[in-house]
């Protein structure tokens, strides 16, 4: 057996006299007093003998010598226990045996490092990743702050399994086989800040699963098989700030699923089976700042779907192939600073849905089939600084497209179909800092001279823009040109009118008039028409300009008479041509002038019948007559048939009249039969 005096020495227990042995104590080995700094050892009879447990000069035993004596004593103990087990197998353990096990634990009350884990790489961290563990290892140090159990074979987590780790701050259970979490599975982890559960087999998240995690700030549930979130699923995570829910089978989010997440600021929903935006559930997130909705099969964002997110600053809608337009009120109630709608199917910039976002600074509409940016439609976004439209189908950016945007400094239109970008599109080109224009078939003519002038200070990114034409400069980057250009480079040919129709057109009231005009130049000029009063004509209405530059006037009226001016123009110059329209008044048969397009109530207009009209009138009159005759004959036939056989002869008697005054003459009866 191990001497009690030795345990008293090496465990720091009280000596026989009641005083503590350690530090500056005056007690020696086994509790005997040391005289004059001498050393000694107390044997089994209580007296000191030999130098094996000598003092180190501070009143405490030398740890190296105690270790030597401990090894020797343990060896004697094993021999003695073997002999005792052979002679008395039923003998009880001595009362000091639990102390021996405490002595053999190097961490004391903090536990030891599990055999398959690494506890030395980081302080207060237990790293057990990819060790083929099928259960949480035992003997974890109680002061652990980081526990990594990722990449193992854990299949379940029962209640209280980790409750001893009250100081744990980060727990990684990702890429295991967890299919269910019992309510209270994380009970006792009141200090946990980060919980990673991605890459498991979780299906349903219900109430009580995350109870006890009052300090949790990040929860990662990606790459699971979650189908739905029930009401109150996250109700006890009052401190949660970031929730990642992606790559799941999620089809339904209950209206109260996010109730209790009063501090959630970032939510990511991606690659799920949601068919509509869970607006009722999102409305329970008053502190949400960042919302990411990625790779969802949702056709539309209805009006008011995000109305309850008054604190939202960043909204990302990415890869909704079925989204073709935004409802005008889809972003009502939001005060965004950053909006990204990328890789969808928008055919135009959704101006009506964006016009109220006066604090918007970044707008990203990349990878949408948007073909044009019209003039001044972005002016309500007065604080807009960055516009990204890369990978779209842009063919034109009209003049004054960005006017009204005083802080605008970044434009990304790389990989589009732009042939030019004129200086007039920007309110102040000198304030432009970043311009991504690569991947466009640019025509390097006089319209790009401003870009050549600013090329040294503009940030073009990794790929500066290059010329696709004309032939002498094809494939040449803008940075390769010198300050002094060779003759014929970056030049334009002024517009000139080459073809035109009659310059004097006569049309009757209510008739049709057409004026044709076309021009030539480099770049190709545009054709416009002006009314005699000086107003430019549009492409809609009774008087309109067609796509080929032709002026068309339908239902000519008297006030249309006068001069019309054709203007062909490009960046190098313009040319004009004056034409005239003469309108002939139409006189009705009664000698008064009238407008055939105006009908006066109560006064019928003249009635004319041509051959076709006469034929129609006769047909309309003859058909009822023929129908009536046919009906009458039919009724007579039915009546005759109902009366039986028709008789074709009649018999009658005839008595001749008597002569006047002769009573005896006349009166003979004659019988006749008429066939």
């Amino acid at each position: 057996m191990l001497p009690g005096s030795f345990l008293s020495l090496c465990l720091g227990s009280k000596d026989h006299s009641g005083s503590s042995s350690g530090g500056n104590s005056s007690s020696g080995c086994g509790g005997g007093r040391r005289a004059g700094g001498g050393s000694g050892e107390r044997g089994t009879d209580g007296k000191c003998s030999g130098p094996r447990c000598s003092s180190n000069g501070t009143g405490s035993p030398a740890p190296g010598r105690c270790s030597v004596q401990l090894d020797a004593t343990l060896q004697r103990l094993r021999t003695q226990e073997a002999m005792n087990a052979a002679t008395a197998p039923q003998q009880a353990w001595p009362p000091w045996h639990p102390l021996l096990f405490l002595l053999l634990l190097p961490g004391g009350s903090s536990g030891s490092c599990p055999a398959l884990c690494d506890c030395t790489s980081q302080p207060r961290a237990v790293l057990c990743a990819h060790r083929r563990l099928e259960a949480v290892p035992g003997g974890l140090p109680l002061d652990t702050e980081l526990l990594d159990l990722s990449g193992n074979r854990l299949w379940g987590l029962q209640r209280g399994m980790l409750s001893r780790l009250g100081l744990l701050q980060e727990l990684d259970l990702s890429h295991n086989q967890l299919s269910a979490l019992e309510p209270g599975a994380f009970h006792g982890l009141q200090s946990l800040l980060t919980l990673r559960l991605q890459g498991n087999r979780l299906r349903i998240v219900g109430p009580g699963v995350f109870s006890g995690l009052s300090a949790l700030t990040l929860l990662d549930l990606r790459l699971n098989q979650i189908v739905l979130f029930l009401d109150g699923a996250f109700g006890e995570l009052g401190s949660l700030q970031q929730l990642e829910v992606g790559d799941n089978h999620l089809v339904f989010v209950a209206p109260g699923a996010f109730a209790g997440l009063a501090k959630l600021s970032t939510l990511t929903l991606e690659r799920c089976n949601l068919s509509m935006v869970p607006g009722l559930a999102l409305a329970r997130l008053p502190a949400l700042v960042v919302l990411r909705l990625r790779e969802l099969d949702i056709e539309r964002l209805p009006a008011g779907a995000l109305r309850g997110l008054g604190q939202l600053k960043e909204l990302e809608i990415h890869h909704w192939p079925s989204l073709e337009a935004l409802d005008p009120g889809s972003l009502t109630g939001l005060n965004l600073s950053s909006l990204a709608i990328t890789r969808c199917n928008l055919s135009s910039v959704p101006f009506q849905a964006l016009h109220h976002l006066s604090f918007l600074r970044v707008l990203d509409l990349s990878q949408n089939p948007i073909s044009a940016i019209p003039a001044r439609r972005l002016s309500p976004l007065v604080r807009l600084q960055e516009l990204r439209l890369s990978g779209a189908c842009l063919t034109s950016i009209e003049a004054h497209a960005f006017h009204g945007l005083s802080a605008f400094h970044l434009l990304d239109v790389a990989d589009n179909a732009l042939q030019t970008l004129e200086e007039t599109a920007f309110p102040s080109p000198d304030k432009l800092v970043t311009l991504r224009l690569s991947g466009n078939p640019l025509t390097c003519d006089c319209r790009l001279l401003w870009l050549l002038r600013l090329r040294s200070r503009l940030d073009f990114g990794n790929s500066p823009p290059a010329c696709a034409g004309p032939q002498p400069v094809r494939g040449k980057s803008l940075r390769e040109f010198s300050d002094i250009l060779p003759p014929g480079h970056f030049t334009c040919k002024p517009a000139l009118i080459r073809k035109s129709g009659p310059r004097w057109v006569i049309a009757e009231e209510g008739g049709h008039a057409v004026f044709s005009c076309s021009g030539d130049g480099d770049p190709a000029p545009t054709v416009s028409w002006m009314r005699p009063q000086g107003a430019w004509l549009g492409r809609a209405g009774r008087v309109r300009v067609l796509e080929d530059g032709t002026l068309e006037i339908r239902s000519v009226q008297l006030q249309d008479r006068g001069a019309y001016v054709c203007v062909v123009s490009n960046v190098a110059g313009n040319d004009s041509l004056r034409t005239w329209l003469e309108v002939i008044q139409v006189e009705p048969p009664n000698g008064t002038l009238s407008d055939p397009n105006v009908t006066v109530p109560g006064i019928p207009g003249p009635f004319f019948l041509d051959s076709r009209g006469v034929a129609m009138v006769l047909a309309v009159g003859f058909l009822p007559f023929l129908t009536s005759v046919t009906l009458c004959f039919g009724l007579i036939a039915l009546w005759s048939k109902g009366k039986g056989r028709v008789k074709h002869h009649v018999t009658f008697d005839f008595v001749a009249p008597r002569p006047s005054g002769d009573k005896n003459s006349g009166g003979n009866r004659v019988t006749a039969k008429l066939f």
Side-chain angles (χ1 to χ4, degrees):
M1 60 180 293
L2 189 67
S5 58
F6 181 78
L7 286 176
S8 176
L9 169 66
C10 295
L11 294 179
S13 61
K14 293 182 180 295
D15 57 17
H16 297 287
S17 63
S19 61
S20 176
S21 61
N24 298 325
S25 174
S26 60
S27 60
C29 180
R33 293 189 179 272
R34 179 170 52 88
S39 63
E41 177 182 340
R42 185 178 299 275
T44 57
D45 57 354
K47 298 180 180 180
C48 274
S49 61
R52 289 182 299 173
C53 197
S54 61
S55 173
N56 59 5
T58 61
S60 60
R65 299 181 181 275
C66 288
S67 178
V68 173
Q69 183 172 353
L70 173 61
D71 294 339
T73 305
L74 289 177
Q75 184 63 31
R76 291 197 303 270
L77 178 61
R78 294 190 187 97
T79 305
Q80 183 176 358
E81 285 179 349
M83 296 175 60
N84 292 338
T87 57
Q90 301 299 328
Q91 183 177 357
W93 289 100
W96 47 262
H97 194 271
L99 298 177
L100 178 62
F101 284 99
L102 291 177
L103 181 64
L104 296 178
L105 293 176
S109 61
S110 296
S112 60
C113 184
L116 296 177
C117 301
D118 177 15
C119 302
T120 60
S121 299
Q122 301 180 31
R124 297 187 179 183
V126 179
L127 308 179
C128 309
H130 304 285
R131 304 300 171 92
R132 299 183 180 181
L133 298 176
E134 297 183 358
V136 178
L140 295 172
L142 301 183
D143 59 350
T144 302
E145 295 181 356
L146 168 61
L147 177 57
D148 186 357
L149 295 171
S150 61
N152 286 290
R153 302 175 181 176
L154 304 182
W155 57 269
L157 196 64
Q158 287 75 32
R159 178 183 177 89
M161 182 172 289
L162 301 171
S163 59
R164 297 173 59 250
L165 306 178
L167 300 178
L168 191 64
Q169 297 183 9
E170 183 175 351
L171 175 60
D172 192 346
L173 294 170
S174 58
H175 301 288
N176 278 278
Q177 301 178 14
L178 298 174
S179 59
L181 297 174
E182 295 184 2
F186 304 102
H187 182 74
L189 303 182
Q190 65 274 4
S191 300
L192 192 65
L193 301 177
T194 301
L195 176 58
R196 304 186 186 277
L197 290 168
Q198 69 267 28
N200 283 281
R201 301 178 180 178
L202 301 176
R203 293 182 177 274
I204 297 177
V205 177
V209 171
F210 302 109
S211 62
L213 301 178
S214 57
L216 193 68
T217 59
L218 186 150
L219 176 60
D220 193 344
L221 296 173
R222 293 174 298 167
L223 292 167
N224 277 278
Q225 302 174 11
I226 299 175
V227 178
L228 53 88
F229 287 145
L230 301 177
D231 287 328
F234 307 98
E236 300 185 15
L237 301 179
S239 299
L240 193 66
Q241 299 178 11
Q242 182 176 351
L243 176 60
E244 301 287 336
V245 184
D247 297 282
N248 279 279
H249 304 325
L250 192 64
V251 297
F252 178 70
V253 179
F258 298 143
L261 299 179
K263 295 183 179 180
L264 189 70
S265 60
T266 302
L267 173 62
T268 302
L269 291 169
E270 58 184 352
R271 291 182 291 277
C272 299
N273 294 326
L274 292 173
S275 59
M276 59 181 297
V277 177
L280 294 178
L282 295 175
R284 309 297 290 270
L285 302 173
L288 194 65
V289 176
V290 180
L291 176 60
R292 303 186 183 101
L293 303 172
R294 300 170 177 164
E295 299 187 39
L296 302 176
D297 189 16
I298 298 179
E299 296 183 358
R300 61 186 293 261
L301 186 65
L306 306 174
R307 185 181 298 273
L309 304 177
Q311 299 298 320
L312 193 66
K313 299 302 178 185
E314 299 181 20
L315 174 61
E316 180 183 353
I317 297 175
H318 175 69
H319 196 192
W320 292 16
S322 302
L323 184 65
E324 298 181 354
L326 285 185
D327 291 355
S330 57
L331 303 178
T332 300
L334 300 182
N335 191 18
L336 300 174
S337 60
S338 175
L339 173 62
I341 306 176
T342 57
R343 204 177 174 187
C344 296
N345 203 20
L346 299 179
S347 58
S348 62
V349 179
F351 298 107
Q352 292 185 350
L354 303 176
H355 74 278
H356 70 283
L357 300 176
S358 58
F359 288 90
L360 192 67
R361 288 177 170 81
V362 179
L363 176 60
D364 190 350
L365 299 174
S366 300
Q367 297 179 322
N368 283 282
I370 298 174
S371 59
I373 303 178
R376 292 188 172 91
R377 295 296 302 276
L378 292 170
S379 57
L381 308 179
V382 293
R383 293 177 176 83
L384 190 66
Q385 300 176 5
E386 303 179 10
L387 175 62
R388 304 177 187 274
L389 253 168
S390 62
C393 299
L394 282 177
T395 58
S396 67
I397 298 178
E398 296 184 6
H400 312 293
F402 308 115
H403 278 227
L405 309 179
S406 58
F408 192 73
H409 64 81
L410 185 148
L411 176 64
D412 185 357
V413 288
D415 302 318
N416 280 280
L418 293 172
Q419 293 185 357
T420 189
L421 179 61
E422 298 188 23
E423 185 178 9
T424 55
F426 303 93
S428 180
D430 293 335
K431 293 183 179 180
L432 199 62
V433 176
T434 303
L435 178 60
R436 307 292 166 81
L437 202 56
S438 60
N440 287 278
L442 296 176
T443 300
C444 292
D445 53 23
C446 62
R447 294 171 293 178
L448 294 183
L449 278 174
W450 72 276
L451 195 58
L452 196 64
R453 174 174 55 87
L454 300 177
R455 70 187 186 279
S456 59
R457 69 169 190 82
L458 279 176
D459 177 15
F460 290 127
N462 297 329
S463 239
C467 299
Q471 182 63 35
V473 295
R474 179 173 297 176
K476 193 172 182 179
S477 171
L478 290 185
R479 293 195 184 277
E480 298 178 17
F481 289 94
S482 61
D483 294 336
I484 301 176
L485 294 174
H489 285 63
F490 288 86
T491 58
C492 295
K493 181 180 179 181
L496 293 174
I497 294 177
R498 296 300 184 188
K499 296 180 181 180
S500 65
R503 300 183 63 180
W504 186 282
V505 175
I506 300 175
E508 294 183 350
E509 283 186 283
H512 187 261
V514 174
F515 295 92
S516 61
C517 179
S518 63
D520 189 15
D522 185 20
T526 59
V527 180
S528 306
W529 287 87
M530 294 177 60
R531 297 194 64 162
Q533 296 81 6
W536 291 100
L537 300 174
R539 298 190 178 275
R542 188 178 59 85
V543 182
R544 61 175 182 168
V545 180
L546 303 180
E547 293 291 338
D548 60 354
T550 301
L551 176 63
E552 180 187 40
I553 304 176
R554 296 174 296 175
S555 299
V556 175
Q557 300 177 6
L558 287 177
Q559 60 266 30
D560 296 332
R561 178 169 44 194
Y564 290 81
V565 180
C566 172
V567 179
V568 293
S569 61
N570 62 11
V571 68
N574 57 68
D575 193 9
S576 62
L577 176 68
R578 186 182 181 90
T579 59
W580 186 270
L581 174 64
E582 186 65 36
V583 180
I584 300 176
Q585 296 178 338
V586 177
E587 183 177 355
N590 57 6
T592 59
L593 297 178
S594 64
D595 187 352
N597 296 319
V598 179
T599 302
V600 180
I603 303 178
F607 182 76
F608 301 97
L609 279 179
D610 54 6
S611 59
R612 184 178 178 182
V614 173
M616 291 181 64
V617 170
L618 291 177
V620 171
F622 180 73
L623 287 177
F625 171 76
L626 183 62
T627 303
S628 301
V629 172
T630 304
L631 182 61
C632 289
F633 275 104
L635 292 176
I636 291 173
L638 292 175
W639 177 80
S640 299
K641 188 176 181 180
K643 288 295 184 177
R645 191 170 185 178
V646 179
K647 297 179 180 180
H648 299 282
H649 64 275
V650 61
T651 301
F652 60 91
D653 293 335
F654 174 76
V655 179
R658 291 181 180 146
S660 174
D662 190 0
K663 297 182 179 179
N664 297 323
S665 63
N668 294 328
R669 182 181 296 274
V670 179
T671 300
K673 181 177 290 188
L674 178 64
F675 291 92

